[in-house]
Amino acid sequence: MAANDSLVRVINDRIIIVQVFISLFLCINFLLITVFFMKDFFYTTMRYIFFALTLMSDCVSLILSDFLLILAYFHFSIHMSLCLIVYAAVSLCNLVTPVTLTVMALERFVAICMPLRHGELCSTRSALHCVLIIHGISALPDVVFLSIFFVSASHSYYTQSSECSVEKFILHTWQGHLRSAISQFYFLIMVIIIMFSYFKIMKVARAASGQNRKSTWKGLRTVVLHGFQLLLCLFLLWCPLIEAAMLQINLMLYINVRYFNYIMFILFPRCLSPLIYGLRDEKFSVALRSFVLCGLYKKQLSKL
């Protein structure tokens, strides 16, 4: 009995900590999104458009994943059709972010290695087309996975009420294997693209001099941070396998590992985007300080 009470207290404390983290990240992201729409320079520049896209995607992902976490904590059951919609949205947002990071690495590659064509290839119109392509590419695994589910599930399955989790849509073992294979194929392509961008920018950085060298190395560090974010997203794919193995060993170990995975591979990667552009980017940082400090930096903002 004492052990059960201790376990409940640990879970309660961790749920509260997660709510604090999510609330903090959402406030920061909403603040950055507000700053993004303050200046037309930001919403007409490709890399800032992609930055805002990752922020919006992360906000939706955090809100929906927290919704599922609270449902699981209170053991609430929801209609499977609603669960299906929530799962599709979470899955889409979880893939939009890494795909966007990959495209952002390519944008840095074009800016540094092909500066004369950057204005042509990275226009506002091209950015909007890329946003549509990103969502199309990100939705493809969902379309495949859910199409197989629709064929396999009976009509009565959609009218049931149950706790919502991705496992509810895996009716056969091979479906889980297919889902994992598609995800890992995506991330393999993303890693190849980011590595390609890194080495091409590295080559230019070594040959650059003066101010160009400083700008090039800053772009290289940005690509490295994007790669680190992508690596954390990749680890998220292996979390269910690790958690299933831990559950067979010990319940408390399973809870500890799942909590660590949630903080490290879901929450933490989503705080890196504000760091990369919200703090490191000079123009966005000036606009952010001006907004937070109620116009104290208006003179600096007018220079953007």
Side-chain angles (χ1 to χ4, degrees):
M1 186 66 179
N4 288 338
D5 290 341
S6 176
L7 180 60
V8 170
R9 281 197 299 271
V10 169
I11 295 175
N12 289 342
D13 291 342
R14 289 179 177 178
I15 288 290
I16 293 171
I17 292 172
V18 166
Q19 299 310 306
V20 171
F21 273 126
I22 289 178
S23 300
L24 177 63
F25 292 157
L26 286 176
C27 287
I28 293 173
N29 283 2
F30 285 136
L31 173 63
L32 294 176
I33 291 170
T34 302
V35 173
F36 168 78
F37 285 107
M38 282 175 51
K39 191 78 175 173
D40 58 0
F41 172 79
F42 294 138
Y43 56 79
T44 56
T45 304
M46 177 176 276
R47 72 175 184 271
Y48 294 113
I49 293 173
F50 290 156
F51 170 54
L53 178 61
T54 62
L55 291 178
M56 294 175 190
S57 175
D58 288 346
C59 285
V60 174
S61 179
L62 285 174
I63 291 170
L64 292 180
S65 64
D66 190 45
F67 171 68
L68 293 177
L69 179 68
I70 292 173
L71 288 181
Y73 175 71
F74 289 106
H75 302 288
F76 283 151
S77 296
I78 64 173
H79 206 273
M80 290 305 297
S81 57
L82 176 59
C83 180
L84 185 66
I85 295 171
V86 173
Y87 161 74
V90 171
S91 181
L92 175 64
C93 292
N94 284 343
L95 201 49
V96 163
T97 294
V99 172
T100 306
L101 292 175
T102 306
V103 177
M104 290 171 81
L106 282 176
E107 187 275 335
R108 289 293 82 200
F109 161 73
V110 173
I112 293 169
C113 301
M114 305 168 62
L116 297 180
R117 298 200 61 193
H118 182 260
E120 174 191 350
L121 296 176
C122 299
S123 63
T124 305
R125 184 182 181 86
S126 298
L128 297 178
H129 290 163
C130 285
V131 169
L132 294 177
I133 294 171
I134 286 169
H135 281 84
I137 293 173
S138 302
L140 190 58
D142 266 358
V143 171
V144 173
F145 184 72
L146 293 179
S147 296
I148 294 172
F149 170 76
F150 290 144
V151 172
S152 304
S154 62
H155 182 269
S156 61
Y157 194 86
Y158 303 106
T159 61
Q160 297 176 8
S161 293
S162 178
E163 291 186 18
C164 187
S165 68
V166 65
E167 288 76 16
K168 299 294 182 182
F169 305 107
I170 300 177
L171 304 180
H172 307 286
T173 304
W174 63 267
Q175 288 176 281
H177 294 160
L178 176 63
R179 177 171 174 267
S180 178
I182 292 174
S183 299
Q184 299 208 32
F185 171 75
Y186 264 58
F187 278 97
L188 176 63
I189 298 300
M190 293 177 207
V191 168
I192 291 173
I193 292 173
I194 285 196
M195 293 299 292
F196 168 81
S197 302
Y198 174 83
F199 286 114
K200 286 293 185 179
I201 295 174
M202 172 71 80
K203 185 178 179 180
V204 173
R206 288 176 174 174
S209 59
Q211 189 65 28
N212 287 338
R213 184 180 180 86
K214 180 180 177 182
S215 175
T216 303
W217 279 103
K218 184 176 180 181
L220 186 64
R221 289 193 296 270
T222 300
V223 172
V224 170
L225 286 171
H226 288 330
F228 181 60
Q229 276 183 283
L230 191 63
L231 184 63
L232 292 176
C233 293
L234 176 59
F235 281 138
L236 183 61
L237 295 176
W238 298 325
C239 288
L241 300 176
I242 297 172
E243 291 167 5
M246 295 301 102
L247 184 59
Q248 301 299 320
I249 299 173
N250 182 272
L251 178 60
M252 194 63 199
L253 179 61
Y254 164 77
I255 292 173
N256 290 335
V257 169
R258 189 164 192 181
Y259 178 71
F260 173 82
N261 289 342
Y262 189 85
I263 295 293
M264 193 67 188
F265 303 127
I266 294 181
L267 294 186
F268 181 59
R270 282 156 179 77
C271 78
L272 286 178
S273 290
L275 173 65
I276 293 173
Y277 278 104
L279 299 179
R280 289 182 69 251
D281 186 89
E282 182 180 350
K283 293 180 179 179
F284 205 92
S285 178
V286 170
L288 178 62
R289 282 180 294 173
S290 176
F291 179 75
V292 171
L293 299 178
C294 302
L296 187 61
Y297 289 87
K298 277 184 179 179
K299 290 184 179 180
Q300 291 179 320
L301 186 60
S302 64
K303 297 178 182 178
L304 291 179

PDB file of all heavy atoms in Angstrom, residues 103-123:
ATOM      1  N   VAL A 103      14.622  21.237 -44.490  1.00  0.00           N
ATOM      2  CA  VAL A 103      14.498  22.264 -45.522  1.00  0.00           C
ATOM      3  C   VAL A 103      15.244  23.537 -45.101  1.00  0.00           C
ATOM      4  O   VAL A 103      15.855  24.225 -45.935  1.00  0.00           O
ATOM      5  CB  VAL A 103      13.011  22.569 -45.804  1.00  0.00           C
ATOM      6  CG1 VAL A 103      12.874  23.698 -46.817  1.00  0.00           C
ATOM      7  CG2 VAL A 103      12.302  21.326 -46.314  1.00  0.00           C
ATOM      8  N   MET A 104      15.230  23.860 -43.807  1.00  0.00           N
ATOM      9  CA  MET A 104      15.956  25.028 -43.316  1.00  0.00           C
ATOM     10  C   MET A 104      17.464  24.851 -43.504  1.00  0.00           C
ATOM     11  O   MET A 104      18.189  25.815 -43.806  1.00  0.00           O
ATOM     12  CB  MET A 104      15.625  25.269 -41.838  1.00  0.00           C
ATOM     13  CG  MET A 104      14.203  25.752 -41.605  1.00  0.00           C
ATOM     14  SD  MET A 104      13.738  25.773 -39.871  1.00  0.00           S
ATOM     15  CE  MET A 104      14.461  27.317 -39.335  1.00  0.00           C
ATOM     16  N   ALA A 105      17.963  23.626 -43.327  1.00  0.00           N
ATOM     17  CA  ALA A 105      19.380  23.348 -43.577  1.00  0.00           C
ATOM     18  C   ALA A 105      19.713  23.557 -45.056  1.00  0.00           C
ATOM     19  O   ALA A 105      20.768  24.109 -45.390  1.00  0.00           O
ATOM     20  CB  ALA A 105      19.719  21.926 -43.143  1.00  0.00           C
ATOM     21  N   LEU A 106      18.802  23.138 -45.933  1.00  0.00           N
ATOM     22  CA  LEU A 106      19.002  23.357 -47.370  1.00  0.00           C
ATOM     23  C   LEU A 106      18.990  24.849 -47.705  1.00  0.00           C
ATOM     24  O   LEU A 106      19.755  25.308 -48.572  1.00  0.00           O
ATOM     25  CB  LEU A 106      17.915  22.630 -48.166  1.00  0.00           C
ATOM     26  CG  LEU A 106      18.069  21.125 -48.336  1.00  0.00           C
ATOM     27  CD1 LEU A 106      16.864  20.544 -49.065  1.00  0.00           C
ATOM     28  CD2 LEU A 106      19.359  20.788 -49.083  1.00  0.00           C
ATOM     29  N   GLU A 107      18.127  25.607 -47.026  1.00  0.00           N
ATOM     30  CA  GLU A 107      18.072  27.055 -47.256  1.00  0.00           C
ATOM     31  C   GLU A 107      19.400  27.707 -46.875  1.00  0.00           C
ATOM     32  O   GLU A 107      19.901  28.590 -47.581  1.00  0.00           O
ATOM     33  CB  GLU A 107      16.921  27.660 -46.449  1.00  0.00           C
ATOM     34  CG  GLU A 107      16.658  29.139 -46.723  1.00  0.00           C
ATOM     35  CD  GLU A 107      17.525  30.076 -45.895  1.00  0.00           C
ATOM     36  OE1 GLU A 107      17.966  29.655 -44.804  1.00  0.00           O
ATOM     37  OE2 GLU A 107      17.774  31.214 -46.350  1.00  0.00           O
ATOM     38  N   ARG A 108      19.999  27.262 -45.771  1.00  0.00           N
ATOM     39  CA  ARG A 108      21.318  27.778 -45.378  1.00  0.00           C
ATOM     40  C   ARG A 108      22.389  27.376 -46.393  1.00  0.00           C
ATOM     41  O   ARG A 108      23.317  28.143 -46.678  1.00  0.00           O
ATOM     42  CB  ARG A 108      21.695  27.262 -43.994  1.00  0.00           C
ATOM     43  CG  ARG A 108      20.903  27.847 -42.823  1.00  0.00           C
ATOM     44  CD  ARG A 108      21.187  29.335 -42.620  1.00  0.00           C
ATOM     45  NE  ARG A 108      20.404  30.181 -43.517  1.00  0.00           N
ATOM     46  CZ  ARG A 108      20.709  31.433 -43.830  1.00  0.00           C
ATOM     47  NH1 ARG A 108      21.800  31.979 -43.337  1.00  0.00           N
ATOM     48  NH2 ARG A 108      19.948  32.133 -44.645  1.00  0.00           N
ATOM     49  N   PHE A 109      22.262  26.173 -46.933  1.00  0.00           N
ATOM     50  CA  PHE A 109      23.195  25.720 -47.965  1.00  0.00           C
ATOM     51  C   PHE A 109      23.115  26.619 -49.193  1.00  0.00           C
ATOM     52  O   PHE A 109      24.143  27.053 -49.739  1.00  0.00           O
ATOM     53  CB  PHE A 109      22.877  24.272 -48.343  1.00  0.00           C
ATOM     54  CG  PHE A 109      23.436  23.844 -49.676  1.00  0.00           C
ATOM     55  CD1 PHE A 109      24.794  23.623 -49.838  1.00  0.00           C
ATOM     56  CD2 PHE A 109      22.593  23.669 -50.769  1.00  0.00           C
ATOM     57  CE1 PHE A 109      25.311  23.242 -51.069  1.00  0.00           C
ATOM     58  CE2 PHE A 109      23.091  23.284 -52.000  1.00  0.00           C
ATOM     59  CZ  PHE A 109      24.459  23.067 -52.149  1.00  0.00           C
ATOM     60  N   VAL A 110      21.894  26.941 -49.624  1.00  0.00           N
ATOM     61  CA  VAL A 110      21.718  27.809 -50.787  1.00  0.00           C
ATOM     62  C   VAL A 110      22.251  29.213 -50.495  1.00  0.00           C
ATOM     63  O   VAL A 110      22.939  29.828 -51.326  1.00  0.00           O
ATOM     64  CB  VAL A 110      20.230  27.873 -51.206  1.00  0.00           C
ATOM     65  CG1 VAL A 110      20.023  28.917 -52.305  1.00  0.00           C
ATOM     66  CG2 VAL A 110      19.757  26.507 -51.683  1.00  0.00           C
ATOM     67  N   ALA A 111      21.965  29.740 -49.290  1.00  0.00           N
ATOM     68  CA  ALA A 111      22.383  31.095 -48.936  1.00  0.00           C
ATOM     69  C   ALA A 111      23.903  31.237 -48.913  1.00  0.00           C
ATOM     70  O   ALA A 111      24.443  32.278 -49.311  1.00  0.00           O
ATOM     71  CB  ALA A 111      21.799  31.465 -47.570  1.00  0.00           C
ATOM     72  N   ILE A 112      24.598  30.191 -48.460  1.00  0.00           N
ATOM     73  CA  ILE A 112      26.047  30.276 -48.288  1.00  0.00           C
ATOM     74  C   ILE A 112      26.808  29.782 -49.518  1.00  0.00           C
ATOM     75  O   ILE A 112      27.799  30.385 -49.937  1.00  0.00           O
ATOM     76  CB  ILE A 112      26.469  29.484 -47.031  1.00  0.00           C
ATOM     77  CG1 ILE A 112      25.913  30.185 -45.782  1.00  0.00           C
ATOM     78  CG2 ILE A 112      27.995  29.359 -46.934  1.00  0.00           C
ATOM     79  CD1 ILE A 112      26.033  29.387 -44.520  1.00  0.00           C
ATOM     80  N   CYS A 113      26.331  28.710 -50.118  1.00  0.00           N
ATOM     81  CA  CYS A 113      27.051  28.099 -51.233  1.00  0.00           C
ATOM     82  C   CYS A 113      26.582  28.601 -52.599  1.00  0.00           C
ATOM     83  O   CYS A 113      27.310  28.474 -53.589  1.00  0.00           O
ATOM     84  CB  CYS A 113      26.926  26.570 -51.172  1.00  0.00           C
ATOM     85  SG  CYS A 113      27.562  25.855 -49.649  1.00  0.00           S
ATOM     86  N   MET A 114      25.373  29.158 -52.664  1.00  0.00           N
ATOM     87  CA  MET A 114      24.835  29.666 -53.933  1.00  0.00           C
ATOM     88  C   MET A 114      24.229  31.053 -53.705  1.00  0.00           C
ATOM     89  O   MET A 114      23.030  31.267 -53.965  1.00  0.00           O
ATOM     90  CB  MET A 114      23.785  28.690 -54.475  1.00  0.00           C
ATOM     91  CG  MET A 114      24.279  27.259 -54.637  1.00  0.00           C
ATOM     92  SD  MET A 114      22.923  26.073 -54.953  1.00  0.00           S
ATOM     93  CE  MET A 114      22.278  26.693 -56.496  1.00  0.00           C
ATOM     94  N   PRO A 115      24.996  32.000 -53.207  1.00  0.00           N
ATOM     95  CA  PRO A 115      24.429  33.301 -52.804  1.00  0.00           C
ATOM     96  C   PRO A 115      23.772  34.068 -53.948  1.00  0.00           C
ATOM     97  O   PRO A 115      22.812  34.819 -53.721  1.00  0.00           O
ATOM     98  CB  PRO A 115      25.656  34.055 -52.260  1.00  0.00           C
ATOM     99  CG  PRO A 115      26.840  33.377 -52.870  1.00  0.00           C
ATOM    100  CD  PRO A 115      26.448  31.940 -53.004  1.00  0.00           C
ATOM    101  N   LEU A 116      24.266  33.896 -55.170  1.00  0.00           N
ATOM    102  CA  LEU A 116      23.708  34.638 -56.296  1.00  0.00           C
ATOM    103  C   LEU A 116      22.313  34.148 -56.680  1.00  0.00           C
ATOM    104  O   LEU A 116      21.536  34.889 -57.286  1.00  0.00           O
ATOM    105  CB  LEU A 116      24.649  34.539 -57.507  1.00  0.00           C
ATOM    106  CG  LEU A 116      26.039  35.159 -57.317  1.00  0.00           C
ATOM    107  CD1 LEU A 116      26.869  34.991 -58.579  1.00  0.00           C
ATOM    108  CD2 LEU A 116      25.933  36.642 -56.943  1.00  0.00           C
ATOM    109  N   ARG A 117      21.994  32.922 -56.332  1.00  0.00           N
ATOM    110  CA  ARG A 117      20.680  32.360 -56.669  1.00  0.00           C
ATOM    111  C   ARG A 117      19.745  32.305 -55.464  1.00  0.00           C
ATOM    112  O   ARG A 117      18.615  31.846 -55.585  1.00  0.00           O
ATOM    113  CB  ARG A 117      20.850  30.947 -57.245  1.00  0.00           C
ATOM    114  CG  ARG A 117      21.660  30.879 -58.536  1.00  0.00           C
ATOM    115  CD  ARG A 117      21.378  29.608 -59.281  1.00  0.00           C
ATOM    116  NE  ARG A 117      19.974  29.510 -59.661  1.00  0.00           N
ATOM    117  CZ  ARG A 117      19.405  28.385 -60.101  1.00  0.00           C
ATOM    118  NH1 ARG A 117      20.113  27.276 -60.194  1.00  0.00           N
ATOM    119  NH2 ARG A 117      18.127  28.372 -60.435  1.00  0.00           N
ATOM    120  N   HIS A 118      20.228  32.772 -54.303  1.00  0.00           N
ATOM    121  CA  HIS A 118      19.432  32.680 -53.085  1.00  0.00           C
ATOM    122  C   HIS A 118      18.128  33.471 -53.198  1.00  0.00           C
ATOM    123  O   HIS A 118      17.056  32.995 -52.804  1.00  0.00           O
ATOM    124  CB  HIS A 118      20.245  33.160 -51.883  1.00  0.00           C
ATOM    125  CG  HIS A 118      19.510  33.048 -50.587  1.00  0.00           C
ATOM    126  ND1 HIS A 118      18.893  34.129 -49.974  1.00  0.00           N
ATOM    127  CD2 HIS A 118      19.263  31.978 -49.789  1.00  0.00           C
ATOM    128  CE1 HIS A 118      18.327  33.727 -48.854  1.00  0.00           C
ATOM    129  NE2 HIS A 118      18.524  32.438 -48.710  1.00  0.00           N
ATOM    130  N   GLY A 119      18.209  34.700 -53.730  1.00  0.00           N
ATOM    131  CA  GLY A 119      17.011  35.524 -53.867  1.00  0.00           C
ATOM    132  C   GLY A 119      15.972  34.891 -54.770  1.00  0.00           C
ATOM    133  O   GLY A 119      14.771  34.992 -54.520  1.00  0.00           O
ATOM    134  N   GLU A 120      16.437  34.204 -55.821  1.00  0.00           N
ATOM    135  CA  GLU A 120      15.521  33.565 -56.761  1.00  0.00           C
ATOM    136  C   GLU A 120      14.894  32.298 -56.186  1.00  0.00           C
ATOM    137  O   GLU A 120      13.680  32.078 -56.293  1.00  0.00           O
ATOM    138  CB  GLU A 120      16.290  33.222 -58.041  1.00  0.00           C
ATOM    139  CG  GLU A 120      15.486  32.425 -59.061  1.00  0.00           C
ATOM    140  CD  GLU A 120      16.355  31.875 -60.178  1.00  0.00           C
ATOM    141  OE1 GLU A 120      17.539  32.260 -60.278  1.00  0.00           O
ATOM    142  OE2 GLU A 120      15.840  31.033 -60.956  1.00  0.00           O
ATOM    143  N   LEU A 121      15.730  31.470 -55.556  1.00  0.00           N
ATOM    144  CA  LEU A 121      15.260  30.169 -55.064  1.00  0.00           C
ATOM    145  C   LEU A 121      14.521  30.270 -53.736  1.00  0.00           C
ATOM    146  O   LEU A 121      13.697  29.403 -53.421  1.00  0.00           O
ATOM    147  CB  LEU A 121      16.439  29.205 -54.913  1.00  0.00           C
ATOM    148  CG  LEU A 121      17.183  28.826 -56.200  1.00  0.00           C
ATOM    149  CD1 LEU A 121      18.388  27.947 -55.883  1.00  0.00           C
ATOM    150  CD2 LEU A 121      16.246  28.105 -57.162  1.00  0.00           C
ATOM    151  N   CYS A 122      14.822  31.306 -52.955  1.00  0.00           N
ATOM    152  CA  CYS A 122      14.274  31.389 -51.595  1.00  0.00           C
ATOM    153  C   CYS A 122      13.361  32.610 -51.437  1.00  0.00           C
ATOM    154  O   CYS A 122      13.397  33.302 -50.418  1.00  0.00           O
ATOM    155  CB  CYS A 122      15.404  31.424 -50.567  1.00  0.00           C
ATOM    156  SG  CYS A 122      16.452  29.950 -50.612  1.00  0.00           S
ATOM    157  N   SER A 123      12.556  32.870 -52.435  1.00  0.00           N
ATOM    158  CA  SER A 123      11.594  33.974 -52.379  1.00  0.00           C
ATOM    159  C   SER A 123      10.417  33.598 -51.473  1.00  0.00           C
ATOM    160  O   SER A 123      10.259  32.434 -51.068  1.00  0.00           O
ATOM    161  CB  SER A 123      11.085  34.293 -53.780  1.00  0.00           C
ATOM    162  OG  SER A 123      10.377  33.174 -54.310  1.00  0.00           O
TER     163      SER A 123
END
